[in-house]
Amino acid sequence: MSIKRSKFGISGGLLAALTASTLCSAPQAFAEMDSPQEQRHRINLSDVELTDLIEDVSIVTGYTFIVHPQVRGRVTVTSQTPLTTDEVFDVFLSTLRVHQFVAVPAGDRTYRIVPEQTAGASAGILSRNSDGEAFVTQILKLNYFSAVEAAQMVKPVVNPAGQVVANKNSNTLVVVDYASNLPRVREIVSQLDEDKSMVKTIALRNVPASEMEGVLNSLNDEFSMNFSVVASESTNAVVIRGEEVAVAKAMQVARKLDETERVRDNVRVIPLNNSKADEIVPVLERLSGAITEQQGAGEGSGIAPTISAHLPTNSLVISADYEMLEAIERVVKSLDVRRPQVLVEAIVVEMSDNAVDELGLQFIVSGTDGDIPFASTNFSRSAPNILGLTGALISDGGVSSDSTDTNSFQSAAISSLLGLEGLTLGGGGVRDGTLFGVILNAVENDVASNILSTPMLMAVDNETASIVVGQEIPITTGEVLGNNNSNPFRTVERKNVGVQLDVTPQISDGDSVQLTIYQEASNVASAISSGEFITNKRSITTSVIADDGEIIVLGGLVEQTSSLSQSQVPILGDIPGIGRLFQSKGRTNDRTNLMVFIRPTIVRDAADVRQTTEQKYRYVRAQELMRAEEDASQLDRFLQDVLSTVPPGQ
């Protein structure tokens, strides 16, 4: 059974009447084999519109085609054998390619038919299911050959509508072409990307490996011989890698240079940049002695190694055979490195609260003539002195006629009143020959203090640093008098009072710091006599481990002291109620809270030093500007005018 299809559509009335000759003479025909299991089609098109072919293929395959406006032309396709649906679609793609058009996948069973010139921008990634006539993209990685040069060699075999882009940084090629052409492109690239270099090693007898490396690399840079050289100082050999011809020339030069005996210099002067020469000398002496014992005495040049330190230039002067010199230079290079530093900031916080409550009652009753009966209460903790006030009262009332006694009584009374605190109530007088007086004194005293000190210092790794901020006070240590108290003299020792911080940092792996710390905060509490003082001292000696920038507590003290003092008249003070008239009470509460914190910050390089310095300088400058009346900073002006430098961070 045959089906005839013209460019105008399907002719249903001719299904059974068409013959072979009619089929062959038709200008365009699709023949479908009469098989219920598999449909086959015969194509016979002669000079028909391309759009008609697209329409018929869409009906046969069931695909949807989106046609670009530039897709135009006439095509001729002839098939003498029946084709399956997939084969029809392959023929269709080949026909489009002949006429410089491409079917680009645009979704499920959907294709866009566009000119080849625009197909590269929408080409998909190559996969196993990619059709040979489809425009696809593939990325090729090159390991040895230059991608830029490979792109120039591959471009002639790529379809004119395709693209080849080289990425120099990743040494890759991006190829856009027909899937059927990509195997040839990959084969060319694989042949180009072969490691044709060779590696040779030359053991040297006379020339140092590092010196030979420098000579050959300079030669390569000047003449572009395309090889590389790496020195192995431990074996005194060089490894040469490159193209065979270039490696052969490099080996020839190396052997020629190593033929003659080297005139060796057995003395070295090595200036040190970061280490101290006198500290390095003992290490090198022990090292050279150990090497000499391992190699055996008498080998080498026979010159015993001597190592000296020249302190004015901080240099090492070494005399030894060549092999020993090479070993010592490697050790010095490893030791003479810039060591990191640690900024240690300590925070000492002391908060105290002292509360005192005093309440006392004093009275006096006395006669003034003849036999004088006398009764009074007087407590040393209470002020003023009632006896002194009574004497002043008597003198003022005319009881005493001696002006000298009067003045002494009044002076004592005034001195007693000068030390009063709190509330004082009292009264007194003389009536009918009887002297009386009463004083009530009530005091409540509360003193709170908050002392905060933050000493800080920069210390080099494994070096001890110390800072002391305070005063030196004289402490009498001894006094001597001669015969008859003549020729007296006193010995005095001066003692630091203030804040002291001693620290030795040791930086470990993982940015942790081990700190050996002595922290002290002291002050003068009171003076006992001339040259004798009572000082308060708080100190901590410890070793701790902290992470970079972490604040940890070193130690502290929380202390609370309460005391109650009471003075009273025996028996009378114990009487309920009125016994309070014969008492004087005082209560004292002292509370102290002391804590010490530490914060290490690792400063590894110049950038860290600048950042840390700028941060602290900005803080000090801000404090200055807050207190100053003018906008300009005196600290900035000092740095600019006196030190002739720019302030940090500006």
Side-chain angles (χ1 to χ4, degrees):
M1 179 181 296
S2 299
I3 298 177
K4 178 184 178 184
R5 182 187 308 274
S6 69
K7 64 181 179 179
F8 303 104
I10 300 176
S11 300
L14 304 176
L15 293 178
L18 290 176
T19 62
S21 60
T22 305
L23 187 62
C24 294
S25 61
Q28 173 183 337
F30 274 87
E32 184 177 318
M33 300 302 296
D34 214 358
S35 172
Q37 288 81 16
E38 183 179 13
Q39 295 181 347
R40 291 184 174 272
H41 312 270
R42 183 180 291 115
I43 305 175
N44 188 7
L45 305 174
S46 179
D47 194 24
V48 299
E49 288 291 339
L50 179 58
T51 54
D52 292 339
L53 174 63
I54 295 173
E55 179 182 356
D56 291 340
V57 172
S58 177
I59 295 174
V60 172
T61 60
Y63 295 153
T64 300
F65 297 109
I66 303 172
V67 183
H68 192 276
Q70 296 182 6
V71 178
R72 293 290 184 270
R74 305 185 68 83
V75 299
T76 299
V77 182
T78 302
S79 172
Q80 299 301 326
T81 59
L83 305 174
T84 63
T85 302
D86 292 339
E87 291 173 344
V88 170
F89 186 67
D90 291 339
V91 172
F92 171 66
L93 294 178
S94 299
T95 304
L96 292 177
R97 179 175 179 180
V98 169
H99 291 80
Q100 298 182 349
F101 299 110
V102 180
V104 179
D108 187 20
R109 301 179 66 82
T110 303
Y111 291 85
R112 289 184 292 107
I113 301 178
V114 296
E116 281 183 345
Q117 293 78 4
T118 62
S122 57
I125 301 298
L126 179 65
S127 64
R128 294 182 178 179
N129 300 326
S130 298
D131 192 276
E133 301 300 328
F135 240 54
V136 294
T137 303
Q138 187 170 19
I139 301 176
L140 303 176
K141 171 70 176 176
L142 286 81
N143 298 317
Y144 307 105
F145 200 75
S146 172
V148 177
E149 297 181 9
Q152 298 176 355
M153 298 181 180
V154 169
K155 195 168 185 179
V157 301
V158 176
N159 189 277
Q163 297 180 9
V164 180
V165 179
N167 189 324
K168 184 178 180 181
N169 295 331
S170 60
N171 202 40
T172 56
L173 287 178
V174 180
V175 182
V176 180
D177 200 358
Y178 286 102
S180 60
N181 194 39
L182 283 177
R184 184 169 60 154
V185 175
R186 288 196 299 268
E187 180 64 25
I188 295 174
V189 172
S190 63
Q191 293 183 10
L192 293 175
D193 190 34
E194 292 181 356
D195 187 10
K196 300 179 181 179
S197 61
M198 62 183 304
V199 178
K200 292 291 185 179
T201 302
I202 303 178
L204 305 174
R205 296 190 307 272
N206 302 306
V207 181
S210 57
E211 182 178 335
M212 183 66 73
E213 177 188 15
V215 172
L216 295 180
N217 283 329
S218 300
L219 186 64
N220 184 28
D221 294 338
E222 183 175 357
F223 297 100
S224 300
M225 299 180 66
N226 197 20
F227 64 83
S228 60
V229 183
V230 178
S232 174
E233 296 183 359
S234 59
T235 59
N236 197 39
V238 291
V239 181
I240 306 174
R241 181 182 182 276
E243 297 180 357
E244 184 176 357
V245 177
V247 171
K249 292 182 179 179
M251 291 180 64
Q252 182 180 1
V253 173
R255 290 193 180 99
K256 191 67 176 178
L257 293 175
D258 194 47
E259 283 180 358
T260 56
E261 180 69 19
R262 171 186 170 89
V263 179
R264 301 187 177 183
D265 183 8
N266 295 322
V267 179
R268 291 284 192 278
V269 177
I270 306 176
L272 302 179
N273 299 318
N274 302 285
S275 302
K276 296 180 180 180
D278 54 346
E279 295 179 356
I280 297 292
V281 168
V283 177
L284 299 180
E285 288 178 343
R286 289 192 295 269
L287 174 66
S288 60
I291 294 177
T292 302
E293 291 179 0
Q294 293 176 1
Q295 294 179 347
E299 294 186 3
S301 63
I303 301 176
T306 58
I307 304 172
S308 303
H310 187 250
L311 298 182
T313 59
N314 194 35
S315 301
L316 295 174
V317 182
I318 306 171
S319 175
D321 59 56
Y322 180 75
E323 287 75 12
M324 183 72 72
L325 280 175
E326 290 288 322
I328 292 176
E329 285 181 334
R330 289 196 298 269
V331 174
V332 172
K333 183 179 179 181
S334 300
L335 294 178
D336 188 32
V337 296
R338 176 171 177 167
R339 287 186 290 173
Q341 304 176 84
V342 179
L343 175 65
V344 181
E345 300 169 279
I347 304 174
V348 182
V349 182
E350 181 177 0
M351 294 175 288
S352 62
D353 188 5
N354 300 327
V356 179
D357 295 331
E358 297 282 354
L359 178 61
L361 179 67
Q362 303 176 75
F363 68 88
I364 185 171
V365 177
S366 174
T368 59
D369 297 325
D371 295 332
I372 301 176
F374 176 81
S376 70
T377 59
N378 186 23
F379 302 106
S380 60
R381 293 180 54 84
S382 302
N385 190 312
I386 192 168
L387 298 180
L389 291 177
T390 303
L393 182 64
I394 294 175
S395 63
D396 186 60
V399 177
S400 175
S401 61
D402 191 346
S403 60
T404 304
D405 293 340
T406 301
N407 293 334
S408 62
F409 280 130
Q410 291 177 349
S411 299
I414 293 173
S415 300
S416 178
L417 290 173
L418 290 177
L420 287 181
E421 292 183 358
L423 175 65
T424 302
L425 299 175
V430 179
R431 177 172 295 182
D432 299 331
T434 301
L435 174 68
F436 64 91
V438 61
I439 298 176
L440 174 66
N441 181 233
V443 179
E444 182 178 353
N445 191 4
D446 192 356
V447 178
S449 63
N450 186 1
I451 302 175
L452 174 65
S453 59
T454 57
M456 66 180 71
L457 74 162
M458 188 82 75
V460 179
D461 186 24
N462 290 314
E463 295 286 345
T464 301
S466 178
I467 182 174
V468 177
V469 180
Q471 295 177 319
E472 285 189 345
I473 61 173
I475 304 295
T476 301
T477 58
E479 293 181 343
V480 178
L481 295 176
N483 296 330
N484 299 323
N485 294 331
S486 62
N487 192 24
F489 70 90
R490 174 184 299 176
T491 59
V492 177
E493 177 186 358
R494 295 192 175 273
K495 181 179 180 181
N496 291 328
V497 176
V499 178
Q500 179 177 352
L501 175 63
D502 299 338
V503 61
T504 304
Q506 182 178 358
I507 301 176
S508 306
D509 293 337
D511 286 342
S512 62
V513 184
Q514 180 176 350
L515 301 169
T516 301
I517 299 170
Y518 174 74
Q519 169 69 53
E520 177 184 316
S522 58
N523 64 288
V524 177
S526 61
I528 300 176
S529 62
S530 177
E532 296 183 2
F533 301 91
I534 297 177
T535 60
N536 297 326
K537 179 179 178 181
R538 286 119 5 227
S539 65
I540 293 177
T541 302
T542 183
S543 180
V544 297
I545 297 177
D547 292 335
D548 181 19
E550 179 186 14
I551 298 178
I552 64 172
V553 61
L554 292 184
L557 171 67
V558 178
E559 181 182 24
Q560 182 168 352
T561 304
S562 298
S563 62
L564 177 64
S565 61
Q566 178 176 340
S567 300
Q568 67 177 26
V569 177
I571 301 175
L572 296 179
D574 295 330
I575 299 175
I578 64 173
R580 194 67 181 87
L581 301 176
F582 303 94
Q583 296 178 352
S584 176
K585 286 187 176 182
R587 184 187 300 274
T588 303
N589 292 318
D590 295 336
R591 179 179 176 85
T592 302
N593 192 346
L594 172 66
M595 287 293 170
V596 180
F597 303 89
I598 204 81
R599 178 177 183 261
T601 302
I602 299 176
V603 181
R604 296 191 178 277
D605 50 26
D608 291 343
V609 172
R610 286 193 298 269
Q611 180 181 357
T612 303
T613 304
E614 291 172 6
Q615 179 184 2
K616 302 305 178 184
Y617 185 87
R618 285 195 299 266
Y619 173 78
V620 175
R621 185 175 181 272
Q623 296 295 316
E624 178 197 15
L625 293 176
M626 289 177 62
R627 292 178 173 86
E629 297 180 356
E630 55 184 8
D631 295 336
S633 172
Q634 295 293 334
L635 185 58
D636 289 348
R637 187 177 297 114
F638 178 83
L639 292 178
Q640 294 171 356
D641 297 344
V642 179
L643 302 182
S644 301
T645 185
V646 178
Q650 299 182 17

